[in-house]
Amino acid sequence: MKYKANPTALPRLSAEVFSIPLDGERYLIYAPLRRAAFVGNAQTVNFLAGLKANIHDAAADPDGSLADFLRQIEMVDAEPETPPAERFTGTPEPCALTLLLTTSCNLRCTYCYASAGDTPQQSMPLHVAKRGIDFIIANALRKKESHIELGFHGGGEPTLNRRTMTGALAYARERGEALGLEVTSHCATNGILTDRQIEWMTANLQGASVSFDGLPEIHDAYRKTASGGDSSRRVMHTLRRFDEAGFPYGIRVTVTAGQIPKMADSIDFICTHFRTPRIQVEPAYRMGRWKDAPSAETREFIAGFRAAQARARKHGRNIYFSGARAGLLTNHFCAVSRDLFALSTGGTVTSCFEAFSEQQPMADIFFYGKPDDQPHGGYQFDMERLENLRNQSVDRRKYCSGCFAKWSCAGDCHYKATLINGSGEFAGTDRCHIIRELTIDQILERIAGAGGLFWHEQPEETAGYCQRDEHKLFETDYELHSNNYTLN
């Protein structure tokens, strides 16, 4: 342990500690930077609040056992905490590239954030992809990296631009092999694939994310083909082929407000029929074709998620929500603030997959580069825009400062927040409540998984976000109305 007990010294609070009400008598005591938590009573909360004010209530801890326990989990008398503070400076030198290959799509999903198929169709030429690949290879060689990463995404279905997709990967591998660089590649897809495409993907990619909403009747209600037909049968064929090949993939489930009552059944269907260990569940985003639809970012979603999680665990699996990541310590939600290097169909540089076109209303916020006119074929960056993006880390958001989930959520999605709050200071979204509630679930689960008394992990014991299957959560039927859970 990182303390030296001194029986004559008063206990000293050495962690940022949050007190979260669970019910009338219980509180979740949580120190995120210590990866430590336990369930205590009001007396414990008051004792900690006193330590924060440099007041030691000896009557609340007559034999010193509470202070000893708090020392054990590093909330008291430990070395100073070190908050995540990853920073990016200077001209970007990415070694990973995402190609937003096309705005064309063979589906017309009712909740598509990109309104794919309704906008003018654009496809990336191969020379645009090659320029980006040359750029990340040059960076990797200069930085003495051993590999590069190539991803395929888009404001449409990337596999529809097959020529550039296959040609880009072949080019990256050819150059990488000649220069001693390993190439890894992955893609996002709606799963409407031919057997030939499936075989190419399983032979050439290291993974894929497939959009599938579970129950066929649910999937088909929201994810019609361009001609108005059902699409679930073809997606399920793709998933079965992936399973047969042992190909690593995840499933992304999008939940509308009307779909929430069936969420658990959809997760049960996925777990029963397919083998993926990675199932991500997100409420439908109110943008694109779904911008005027009822919100699914509600208390009903939280209840539906919990029911779906319980169903998944019966199959030995978990489901995930992007903002709830207890155990992960970071000041960046995603790569938007970490110099993400993605190319639009025309070759300009964007920091976000959802900002896929220069014609979008928020393009001037998320697009930060374009090809330069130099012989080496690099890129010219708008450093003012890039610095604004780099500053969207949670440690720079005043609104998040009192939130117990800040070091795992890390401020959530900047694109969605900007859509809701505008370009001004972050003021929270409906997703914040979902994130807090599901993060509480995960912390309580970790306490149960550690034996039921407390949870405490040393940094070297935690490589990122994980969940344990085998323990039942405490009931969490309570309300939280504020984003400030600090001790007072």
Side-chain angles (χ1 to χ4, degrees), residues 57 67 144 152 156 160 177 188-189 248 262 266 338 356 402 421 475:
D57 183 1
K144 301 188 185 306
F152 302 105
L160 293 183
E177 184 176 355
T189 177
K262 290 286 189 180
S266 284
R338 301 175 70 247
F356 60 89
N421 298 157
E475 294 298 322

Side-chain angles (χ1 to χ4, degrees), residues 175-397:
R175 288 216 60 205
E177 184 176 355
L179 296 168
L181 292 171
E182 180 186 359
V183 180
T184 58
S185 189
H186 54 275
C187 80
T189 177
N190 62 24
I192 308 298
L193 306 173
T194 64
D195 283 338
R196 181 184 179 191
Q197 288 173 316
I198 293 169
E199 289 163 4
W200 181 86
M201 290 175 68
T202 57
N204 290 278
L205 303 184
Q206 281 67 56
S209 174
V210 184
S211 296
F212 180 60
D213 290 343
L215 291 171
E217 60 267 29
I218 296 292
H219 182 96
D220 290 334
Y222 294 99
R223 299 179 65 81
K224 296 291 186 183
T225 66
S227 60
D230 294 342
S231 63
S232 63
R233 180 183 58 81
R234 292 189 60 185
V235 180
M236 289 190 290
H237 173 75
T238 295
L239 298 177
R240 284 191 291 268
R241 289 292 308 274
F242 283 172
D243 282 338
E244 291 167 0
F247 179 68
Y249 70 95
I251 289 178
R252 159 65 183 266
V253 179
T254 300
V255 180
T256 66
Q259 184 185 346
I260 289 173
K262 290 286 189 180
M263 196 192 308
D265 291 339
S266 284
I267 296 304
D268 190 72
F269 182 88
I270 291 171
C271 292
T272 299
H273 292 87
F274 308 107
R275 300 175 192 167
T276 178
R278 180 79 188 184
I279 305 169
Q280 180 182 351
V281 180
E282 300 286 331
Y285 306 146
R286 287 194 291 173
M287 59 179 79
R289 279 197 282 266
W290 207 241
K291 63 183 177 64
D292 297 320
S295 175
E297 295 172 350
T298 60
R299 290 182 181 275
E300 288 75 20
F301 177 87
I302 297 168
F305 187 97
R306 286 171 174 158
Q309 182 71 282
R311 201 77 66 89
R313 289 199 175 111
K314 290 183 178 179
H315 295 272
R317 283 183 256 184
N318 285 294
I319 60 174
Y320 305 88
F321 173 72
S322 59
R325 312 179 293 190
L328 177 67
L329 297 180
T330 178
N331 58 326
H332 298 274
F333 171 73
C334 69
V336 163
S337 53
R338 301 175 70 247
D339 293 0
L340 175 74
F341 184 66
L343 296 182
S344 70
T345 56
T348 52
V349 183
T350 178
S351 63
C352 180
F353 302 153
E354 289 167 12
F356 60 89
S357 169
E358 300 88 330
Q359 281 69 54
Q360 288 176 274
M362 296 191 296
D364 60 343
I365 296 175
F366 293 92
F367 278 84
Y368 69 92
K370 61 182 180 180
D372 64 23
D373 55 3
Q374 299 302 311
H376 59 76
Y379 291 84
Q380 176 183 342
F381 298 108
D382 184 326
M383 296 305 295
E384 182 177 350
R385 287 188 186 180
L386 182 59
E387 287 304 316
N388 179 64
L389 292 165
R390 287 170 169 173
N391 286 337
Q392 301 310 315
S393 54
V394 72
D395 48 319
R396 293 174 179 264
R397 289 186 168 177

Side-chain angles (χ1 to χ4, degrees), residues 73 119 146 386 400 436:
I73 59 176
T119 57
S146 61
L386 182 59
C400 300
R436 294 186 197 113

